[in-house]
Amino acid sequence: MKKSIFPKLIFTACLASGLFSCTNLDEEVYSDIPLDEFFQSEKEVLMNAGRAYTKLQPYPEEFSLWTLTEMASDEMVAPGRDDGFVWDNGRWDELHKHDVSSNNKILTLAWEFVFEGISACNEIIYETEETDITFPAKEQILSEIKVLRAYFYYFAMDNWGNIPFTIDFTDKELPQQKDRKFVYDYIENEILANVDKLQIEPTSSYYGRVTQGMAYTLLAKLYLNAQEWIGEDRLQMCVDACDKVIASGGYTIETDYFSNFKVQNESSLENIFVIPMHSIYTKDRFYWYTLTLNDASRATFGFKGAMWDEFVLEPGFLDKYDENDIRSHAFLYGQQKDMAGNDIIIDGEPFIYTPTIANYMSRKKWEGARCCKYEYQLSLEYYVTDMENDFVLFRYADVLYTKLEALWRLGRAGEMIADPDLQKIRTRAGLAPYEISDLTDEEFLDELAREFAWEGHRRQDQIRFGVWGGSWWNKPPSSPTDKLFPIPETALSSNFNLKQNDGY
């Protein structure tokens, strides 16, 4: 199945307005070309700016930030298999048990993902500001990249706390380490200084780009976590930021939960900010079918090549779902079917994914529920074609639940509980709308888990609800104060200004 490539081209290389096309999406290194030689037109300025967006593409890979945070939460795990694979010298186990070493490969690549994104934004902002070419959208493009840079810093501050900081591309000194409050204030100020210059309507021309909806959603998330990050109550400011998104009228809750994750999910009116993916042009970026499925599932989807059988749903997570909750269909479990709908039988035995895992160190090949939240397009071949579903970073459902949580913490959930779009999040899942009495700490956290499973939310939510240091499945209790990942050894050895997080 081939998707419309118009939005893909914009954000894998071009950041175009639709006035030009481009077929080679490999990144060019424009930093080696003098500005007065490269920037000859508005088109070239836009193409260069598009490089910043490509830095988001590695986010859902096997070794990246998404994996780091998800594997450390209670919703994803990669136990050792009984054939000796997956263990990978314990790197996954370190994340699972919150005992992460500073030379862990996933940790290091997650850090590099974030700071390469920041570096690219710094470079592009400098180049765009330096060029003499002017056009009406130039200030808007600069504001987009500045908010995108703030988003990368949001990732860094959330996961590592005190971090190296620079926004000056020409500065050749090693970046100084800034505390969390400094970075928090920078992110807030950068969003507020640029949001009014951003695109208001979420039109197809701005698909996958930073818009006002994206910026205000990011601001709301910043305020929701302010108590944890800087020790200040910003809950009313969180509500106000959510109201900006709501008042725009550009987003709605889709009737079908899974329409947000279909192969062609560009038409979703719920998705606010996504990473556009393409089977060829963003190759080796989005391959969850290989990461989670067993080879036997090739009969279900017609996949070609070996499946890695690596990432599974943590046992016990399915218990959070009501039996009528259709969101549990984001995971494969039970008897598996082939493409014709017949039971799959392997060596005379039914092929059944079991949600339970008997032995953490010796998982059998069909143990563990597998993720199918993003619709699998048939006949994909690993190392040849990637999934084309655009990866969702912000959804309107998140805005509504963020506002509800802020109001609930303020003791004012009644102001929103009857909102039709809020109720629709529950009714489309096959459940009754919430009453105020339903909103206990445990239930609210479980509902966030059900709605946003494997979307990269869970670590932040568990920390905010005070359960990050608890135990789950094979994870023993950990220090409730160890909420940050260690700074990678590679970063410490290359910048003497950096000091390791406490506890590492």
Side-chain angles (χ1 to χ4, degrees):
M1 183 185 303
K2 186 176 178 62
K3 304 173 73 173
S4 168
I5 65 171
F6 171 71
K8 307 297 178 183
L9 297 179
I10 293 177
F11 302 105
T12 48
C14 300
L15 190 61
S17 61
L19 299 178
F20 61 92
S21 64
C22 140
T23 55
N24 180 8
L25 299 189
D26 293 333
E27 181 178 333
E28 296 185 50
V29 181
Y30 297 121
S31 58
D32 295 333
I33 305 173
L35 294 181
D36 58 354
E37 293 181 19
F38 173 69
F39 292 123
Q40 301 295 317
S41 68
E42 173 183 345
K43 167 185 172 180
E44 291 167 342
V45 175
L46 292 169
M47 288 175 63
N48 187 51
R51 294 188 297 124
Y53 285 95
T54 68
K55 297 302 180 180
L56 285 171
Q57 291 169 2
Y59 179 71
E61 290 181 6
E62 180 190 18
F63 301 127
S64 192
L65 182 63
W66 171 82
T67 312
L68 176 69
T69 61
E70 286 292 293
M71 200 63 68
S73 79
D74 66 349
E75 63 183 17
M76 190 168 79
V77 68
R81 290 199 326 226
D82 61 359
D83 58 5
F85 286 95
V86 177
W87 185 245
D88 291 345
N89 296 317
R91 63 168 63 111
W92 304 115
D93 185 56
E94 288 184 4
L95 304 184
H96 173 66
K97 294 180 179 175
H98 296 187
D99 187 22
V100 185
S101 63
S102 59
N103 59 4
N104 185 289
K105 179 179 180 179
I106 302 97
L107 173 82
T108 301
L109 292 177
W111 174 278
E112 291 175 358
F113 159 79
V114 170
F115 285 95
E116 285 176 7
I118 292 168
S119 178
C121 291
N122 285 342
E123 179 181 0
I124 290 161
I125 290 167
Y126 166 76
E127 292 169 344
T128 306
E129 289 176 335
E130 285 294 302
T131 179
D132 292 332
I133 297 172
T134 61
F135 52 95
K138 185 175 180 180
E139 286 302 313
Q140 181 174 321
I141 293 297
L142 281 168
S143 291
E144 285 186 37
I145 305 306
K146 288 177 180 179
V147 174
L148 182 62
R149 178 176 61 188
Y151 186 40
F152 279 113
Y153 269 121
Y154 166 91
F155 282 143
M157 177 197 63
D158 178 14
N159 290 286
W160 288 281
N162 302 339
I163 54 173
F165 179 88
T166 182
I167 57 174
D168 183 357
F169 178 67
T170 65
D171 186 2
K172 303 305 179 184
E173 300 296 324
L174 292 173
Q176 295 292 321
Q177 189 169 18
K178 299 295 186 179
D179 64 31
R180 215 175 202 181
K181 180 63 163 61
F182 176 95
V183 182
Y184 182 101
D185 289 343
Y186 159 78
I187 296 169
E188 178 187 21
N189 292 334
E190 196 78 338
I191 295 171
L192 293 174
N194 289 282
V195 66
D196 288 340
K197 302 172 188 175
L198 300 174
Q199 173 70 14
I200 300 174
E201 297 294 328
T203 63
S204 60
S205 297
Y206 286 85
Y207 182 77
R209 289 167 66 172
V210 170
T211 61
Q212 285 194 7
M214 179 276 185
Y216 278 121
T217 303
L218 178 59
L219 190 63
K221 302 286 279 186
L222 190 73
Y223 290 147
L224 182 66
N225 292 283
Q227 188 67 54
E228 173 63 36
W229 290 342
I230 61 172
E232 296 182 17
D233 183 336
R234 300 283 183 89
L235 293 175
Q236 183 56 54
M237 297 168 77
C238 173
V239 172
D240 295 341
C242 290
D243 282 342
K244 291 285 189 180
V245 183
I246 295 168
S248 74
Y251 309 99
T252 190
I253 298 299
E254 291 284 348
T255 301
D256 176 9
Y257 174 74
F258 289 101
S259 66
N260 301 306
F261 312 103
K262 288 188 177 297
V263 175
Q264 294 184 331
N265 56 347
E266 296 97 331
S267 61
S268 168
L269 297 177
E270 184 172 332
N271 292 341
I272 294 174
F273 189 51
V274 303
I275 307 173
M277 296 292 183
H278 192 276
S279 61
I280 298 173
Y281 300 134
T282 57
K283 191 175 183 305
D284 294 338
R285 298 302 194 192
F286 198 17
Y287 43 88
W288 281 9
Y289 66 102
T290 296
L291 287 178
T292 189
L293 297 178
N294 180 273
D295 276 345
S297 282
R298 289 179 297 192
T300 304
F301 303 102
F303 293 148
K304 303 171 185 176
M307 305 292 101
W308 291 357
D309 191 3
E310 189 171 20
F311 294 176
V312 301
L313 184 67
E314 186 152 310
F317 192 85
L318 281 174
D319 296 340
K320 301 180 188 301
Y321 293 90
D322 183 273
E323 63 180 359
N324 297 318
D325 194 334
I326 65 98
R327 294 172 298 188
S328 66
H329 300 165
F331 301 98
L332 292 174
Y333 52 94
Q335 174 66 56
Q336 299 301 292
K337 308 285 185 178
D338 63 20
M339 297 179 74
N342 301 313
D343 289 354
I344 300 175
I345 306 297
I346 306 291
D347 297 330
E349 297 292 331
F351 170 33
I352 297 173
Y353 282 133
T354 63
T356 57
I357 300 173
N359 188 331
Y360 174 72
M361 293 295 295
S362 184
R363 176 177 65 84
K364 298 188 181 301
K365 60 184 178 180
W366 293 341
E367 289 183 324
R370 314 305 166 97
C371 187
C372 60
K373 185 169 190 172
Y374 282 88
E375 179 187 24
Y376 288 138
Q377 125 187 28
L378 301 179
S379 302
L380 291 173
E381 183 174 1
Y382 186 60
Y383 287 128
V384 177
T385 51
D386 263 11
M387 296 165 60
E388 293 197 325
N389 325 60
D390 298 332
F391 191 88
V392 182
L393 295 169
F394 289 148
R395 287 196 284 125
Y396 190 51
D398 195 10
V399 173
L400 297 181
Y401 270 168
T402 295
K403 180 181 177 180
L404 178 64
E405 182 181 337
L407 288 171
W408 172 67
R409 291 183 183 277
L410 289 168
R412 294 160 41 200
E415 295 177 18
M416 189 187 181
I417 202 72
D419 179 86
D421 260 351
L422 181 73
Q423 291 184 345
K424 190 176 180 180
I425 299 174
R426 296 276 298 173
T427 57
R428 72 175 177 184
L431 305 173
Y434 272 134
E435 302 288 342
I436 293 178
S437 59
D438 297 325
L439 297 179
T440 64
D441 277 37
E442 181 179 6
E443 173 55 28
F444 208 143
L445 183 59
D446 282 352
E447 175 65 7
L448 294 176
R450 294 184 289 259
E451 179 66 23
F452 302 109
W454 284 43
E455 292 185 46
H457 288 228
R458 190 61 176 166
R459 170 186 167 273
Q460 197 177 90
D461 294 342
Q462 286 188 289
I463 290 174
R464 200 170 58 255
F465 278 80
V467 301
W468 185 245
S471 60
W472 49 82
W473 192 49
N474 194 61
K475 173 193 173 291
S478 54
S479 172
T481 60
D482 289 344
K483 302 172 185 176
L484 298 173
F485 293 113
I487 295 174
E489 188 62 38
T490 52
L492 293 170
S493 62
S494 61
N495 184 351
F496 59 80
N497 294 322
L498 300 184
K499 179 182 178 182
Q500 185 59 277
N501 293 321
D502 292 340
Y504 292 98

